[in-house]
């Protein structure tokens, strides 16, 4: 968007400047926003899968499994926070 603005300012032809400025500057960000949305859905599904796995675990090694899932959930939460920060 900044590049298009600079090009429009440098242009001597008024019509060409208007054409350059009329382009949607956020159009290039649309694929990235779509990727963030899909990633957010993947994180939610992963959290659901972790919860279902935690509920299904049983036996003597339950404490060890719980620690493993806690680490995974913490990592997913950190990823979600990063994605939300990028989305702002």
């Amino acid at each position: 968007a900044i590049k298009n603005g600079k090009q429009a300012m440098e242009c001597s032809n008024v019509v060409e400047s208007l054409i350059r400025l009329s382009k949607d500057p956020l159009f290039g960000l649309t694929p990235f926003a779509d990727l963030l949305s899909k990633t957010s859905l993947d994180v939610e599904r992963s959290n659901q899968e972790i919860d279902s796995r935690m509920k299904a675990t049983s036996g003597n090694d339950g404490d060890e499994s719980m620690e493993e899932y806690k680490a995974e959930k913490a990592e997913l939460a950190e990823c979600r926070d990063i994605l939300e920060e990028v989305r702002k």
Side-chain angles (χ1 to χ4, degrees):
I2 294 172
K3 181 180 174 184
N4 286 342
K6 285 182 180 179
Q7 288 175 347
M9 297 291 284
E10 294 170 356
C11 212
S12 60
N13 186 347
V14 175
V15 174
E16 188 177 338
S17 294
L18 288 172
I19 290 171
R20 287 184 187 270
L21 288 173
S22 69
K23 292 181 182 176
D24 184 10
L26 299 177
F27 180 72
L29 295 176
T30 303
F32 183 65
D34 291 342
L35 175 66
L36 289 178
S37 296
K38 289 178 183 177
T39 307
S40 179
L41 288 173
D42 287 344
V43 168
E44 288 177 28
R45 288 182 188 140
S46 297
N47 282 336
Q48 291 172 354
E49 179 69 22
I50 289 171
D51 288 338
S52 66
R53 286 184 185 183
M54 286 182 69
K55 290 176 183 175
T57 58
S58 62
N60 295 337
D61 62 336
D63 292 334
E64 190 175 307
S65 296
M66 295 279 274
E67 289 300 319
E68 178 184 348
Y69 291 124
K70 284 181 185 177
E72 286 182 22
K73 284 186 91 167
E75 188 174 341
L76 288 172
E78 182 180 352
C79 291
R80 185 183 320 115
D81 292 341
I82 291 170
L83 289 173
E84 291 300 323
E85 188 174 313
V86 169
R87 212 179 266 175
K88 292 179 185 179

